[in-house]
Amino acid sequence: RVGVVSIPVVVHVVHNPARPEQNIGADQIHSQIEILNQDFRAANPDVTKVPPVWKSLVADTMIEFHLATRGPNGEPTDGIVRVETQRMGFTHDDLVKSSATGGAAPWPSDQYLNIWVCQLTGGLLGYAQFPGGPPDTDGVVIRHSAFGSTGTAAPPFHLGRTTTHEVGHWLNLFHIWGDDGEGCSGDDKVADTPNQAGNNTGIPIFPHISCNNGPNGDMFVNYMDYTDDAGMMMFTSGQSTRMNACLEGPRASFLV
Ligand code: ARG
Ligand code: ZN
Ligand code: CA
């Protein structure tokens, strides 16, 4: 593909009236869209913190995002839907994605990236559906306190990287450690990410070596690891190629 593609986004804010903080403000939503655009275009200010050995792999994916300006029936919209729920929180069971279960139905998922923002229970920051799944649950779900960089966004997940990570999954990226626990046989199907044992948390010190991947070690600064938001700041060229292949394939409806 030549040129940038910009994906229309609808944000469903599913909130309990007894928990007003769940009804996040438009400024918090706008901060998240800006972060997505910075991160997917390698225009994030902290890209300078990528260790020198990986700077040549930093990728501008040529993918951008914007809040929808037209709804499913062509009506003007600000791309934000607010729905009240009686539930105190949700988990990764997709109940937030249907009004019958206290959530909100998606807009047509071949035309919009649906983002549900709500309270998530336990330690869950967010979850995503990979391409090829059921249309009525397609999209990503993000905990309100891990969404955007203002309002209720709370450290250490206050820089919008949970959404960057989950949209990576939505565009077919696997975790950088290959989802094999702590093993060295898992594969993220991307050639330019080092083989890595398990996930990293916090903000590791370079280098962190596993699976004989020295001297540079794990690419823990990658959005598809599990570090703090301030510790992740890049996609690789290989990951960009894989996401763009998804846009030419199972998510090709976004290119028209
Ligand atoms: N699904 C992951 C979780 O809930 C998201 C991790 C996002 N990481 C981050 N630094 N924001 O744990
Ligand atoms: Zn993940
Ligand atoms: Ca592994």
Side-chain angles (χ1 to χ4, degrees), residues 175-188 194-199 210-211:
H175 290 133
I176 193 169
W177 68 92
D179 293 302
D180 59 344
E182 294 287 328
C184 293
S185 57
D187 182 4
D188 66 358
N195 187 24
Q196 168 176 328
N199 66 79
S210 70
C211 298

Side-chain angles (χ1 to χ4, degrees), residues 42 44 46-60 176 188 190-197 200 203-210 212-223 225 227 231-239:
N44 46 303
D46 57 352
V47 76
T48 55
K49 295 183 184 164
V50 172
V53 293
W54 294 315
K55 282 195 191 296
S56 66
L57 293 177
V58 171
D60 171 359
I176 193 169
D188 66 358
V190 172
D192 62 5
T193 54
N195 187 24
Q196 168 176 328
N200 289 288
I203 302 185
I205 307 287
F206 178 88
H208 182 264
I209 293 166
S210 70
N212 297 310
N213 63 13
N216 299 336
D218 301 352
M219 188 188 279
F220 53 79
V221 290
N222 194 280
Y223 295 125
D225 206 332
T227 66
M232 49 174 61
M233 62 283 295
M234 68 175 288
F235 289 119
T236 67
S237 300
Q239 288 174 318

